Amino acid sequence: MSQHATLTTLREINASVVLEAIRADPPISRAEVSRRTGMTKPTVANALDLLVSAGLVRQAEPPGEMHYGAVYFEPVHSLAHVLALDIGTRFVRGALCDLSGTMLARHDERIDDSHPATILRAAVAVRDALAPGGLSGGGAGGLTAEGGGIELVAAGVPGVVDPEEGVIRQSNRPALEGMAIRTGLEAALGVPAEVETDANLAVIGEHALGAGRGIADFAFLSIGAGVGAGLILGNRAHRGHRGAAGEVDDPAPGEDELPDSPSGDALMNLARAWIAAGLRDGDTVLRLDATPEAIFAAASRGDGLASAIVAEEARRIALRIATVSRVVDVELVVLGGGIGLACESILPEINAALAGMLRHPPDVEISALGNAPVLTGGLAHGTRLLRESVATRRISAAAKGSGTAKATAAGSGTAKGSATGSGTAKAIVTGSGTEGR
């Protein structure tokens, strides 16, 4: 490798380190970046020169009044956007964010079935509602034409996603089984797609902004039409060899469901059998067409049969939590999904059941993210990936442009000032001689 190539690579690495420092605590001065990264001030100045040329950072207003003439920098967030999708039973939910990771806008598109064509049409409708024209001429959430478009989709689906092929496996919805979801979304939306099991994105969302923030080992247990768990182990999402980690309710081949499943379908099968018997005895207000919401509400009002059904659901949920805890010893389990979010009133029953199953049961909480943990996780996961790709692309292009300019200047005797790309950029980087005070 030539000396020029080695120096260029080192400069790009330094720029990436400085960019992360700026992203971590903006606005930030050059002197503070130097202190936090351990780099010399000239090295930081060189990196800032490259980052400004790449359009990744810009000069910012100093915080407070006592800044002694120091120049501060902040990241430019509007360069690209992430579209997060949560493909559910009744809705395809979507959210949009820029490189800050902050949700800018959200839209839910109702669906009547789970046919792949329906899912893809809904995904396009969500995209169009959030970002008309892909943000090319303005867009949702206060975005302007100066901002970049959607460059990545991060989608959560109800089933295991083959990590190599991007195909849905083991879905609780037969219509989605075998769907090539990744290539389908990429073709429909025109950008690369990252596809995960919905529980995996949910646990990433809880780790980023929910109950699992700051916790190294915890699980998200989604209980709705189906049941699945997402795992954070050692502060990292754990997917398993085939992407099937957390499938704690997966029945044997040829079976529809486990006999003690806490899923919504299994709960209703149990409820209908018990309600039929209860109606014969005349000791319940429940009817055969009662919904899970009606059953939980009747239990809260003291209906004996409803309370028995809910107590059985608490036992089944505790069994799934115990299964996870025995293997990976998590500190916390967060409950989500349609059924999981309704379990606030039966947390005492769940904890009591766990106490009889485990020596050291985990804490159990209800998700505070409501119906948005998958979207929150999609934005967090997509932002991390997109930040890296945008930074790599722009830093590399700026470094090559800088190298070309320097070579031209050396060959023509042009003044050194032109090698920085612009006098303005150079002024921003050098700042004031009093910055280090």
Side-chain angles (χ1 to χ4, degrees):
M1 181 180 291
S2 69
Q3 183 182 18
H4 173 71
T6 302
L7 292 175
T8 299
T9 301
L10 181 60
R11 191 182 183 210
E12 292 178 23
I13 293 171
N14 289 339
S16 297
V17 173
V18 169
L19 178 59
E20 286 308 306
I22 295 172
R23 283 173 170 168
D25 191 22
I28 187 171
S29 70
R30 182 179 64 183
E32 184 60 26
V33 171
S34 179
R35 280 190 287 270
R36 295 190 185 188
T37 62
M39 296 180 182
T40 65
K41 288 181 181 179
T43 300
V44 170
N46 193 300
L48 282 169
D49 192 359
L50 185 58
L51 291 172
V52 170
S53 297
L56 289 163
V57 303
R58 63 192 172 200
Q59 188 174 343
E61 290 296 323
E65 297 180 358
M66 304 296 289
H67 53 86
Y68 301 106
V71 179
Y72 284 76
F73 297 88
E74 65 184 5
V76 178
H77 295 310
S78 60
L79 300 173
H81 295 80
V82 174
L83 174 64
L85 297 174
D86 175 10
I87 299 173
T89 303
R90 294 179 296 170
F91 294 91
V92 172
R93 308 182 192 277
L96 188 74
C97 76
D98 58 19
L99 294 179
S100 71
T102 302
M103 187 183 296
L104 301 173
R106 174 175 166 173
H107 177 75
D108 296 353
E109 188 77 12
R110 190 173 186 88
I111 54 175
D112 296 323
D113 60 72
S114 297
H115 191 277
T118 301
I119 299 299
L120 295 178
R121 281 195 299 269
V124 171
V126 168
R127 189 273 313 274
D128 291 345
L130 292 174
L135 299 178
S136 59
L143 299 170
T144 65
E146 287 77 24
I150 294 172
E151 290 195 16
L152 181 69
V153 173
V157 301
V160 175
V161 180
D162 185 295
E164 299 296 328
E165 300 177 3
V167 174
I168 298 177
R169 310 291 186 194
Q170 298 176 225
S171 177
N172 64 331
R173 278 181 274 166
L176 292 182
E177 190 73 24
M179 177 185 178
I181 182 68
R182 186 167 62 209
T183 56
L185 287 173
E186 289 176 345
L189 300 173
V191 294
E194 286 285 324
V195 185
E196 294 269 2
T197 300
D198 49 11
N200 287 346
L201 286 188
V203 78
I204 292 172
E206 292 288 344
H207 198 228
L209 294 175
R213 195 169 188 177
I215 298 179
D217 302 289
F218 78 100
F220 179 91
L221 185 62
S222 176
I223 311 167
V227 178
L231 299 170
I232 293 287
L233 302 178
N235 285 311
R236 297 173 64 89
H238 180 78
R239 298 169 176 83
H241 177 58
R242 296 181 178 84
E247 293 300 303
V248 294
D249 206 50
D250 187 30
E255 296 183 8
D256 292 332
E257 64 185 21
L258 296 177
D260 59 356
S261 171
S263 72
D265 290 344
L267 172 63
M268 294 316 300
N269 289 338
L270 169 74
R272 279 189 287 269
W274 287 18
I275 291 170
L279 289 174
R280 287 194 298 270
D281 298 335
D283 59 355
T284 183
V285 299
L286 296 175
R287 294 295 177 261
L288 287 174
D289 60 352
T291 63
E293 293 83 358
I295 294 170
F296 275 83
S300 68
R301 294 192 297 269
D303 184 277
L305 180 59
S307 297
I309 294 170
V310 169
E312 172 60 15
E313 179 69 1
R315 184 189 71 84
R316 294 181 176 194
I317 292 171
L319 281 172
R320 297 303 178 278
I321 295 174
T323 297
V324 173
S325 297
R326 288 189 183 105
V327 177
V328 291
D329 187 27
V330 292
E331 177 182 345
L332 169 72
V333 174
V334 181
L335 300 182
I339 301 294
L341 290 173
C343 287
E344 184 77 46
S345 63
I346 63 169
L347 281 180
E349 287 87 347
I350 293 173
N351 286 323
L354 282 172
M357 299 175 186
L358 300 170
R359 292 181 183 274
H360 303 288
D363 294 331
V364 182
E365 296 184 18
I366 307 299
S367 173
L369 298 179
N371 64 6
V374 177
L375 291 179
T376 303
L379 295 179
H381 181 53
T383 298
R384 181 182 64 80
L385 296 174
L386 193 55
R387 278 180 175 177
E388 182 177 339
S389 66
V390 169
T392 299
R393 182 176 72 236
R394 284 179 167 260
I395 289 172
S396 178
K400 290 177 181 177
S402 175
T404 301
K406 287 180 179 178
T408 302
S412 63
T414 306
K416 286 184 179 179
S418 65
T420 62
S422 79
T424 302
K426 183 66 176 179
I428 291 174
V429 172
T430 57
S432 165
T434 61
E435 182 180 330
R437 293 181 185 175

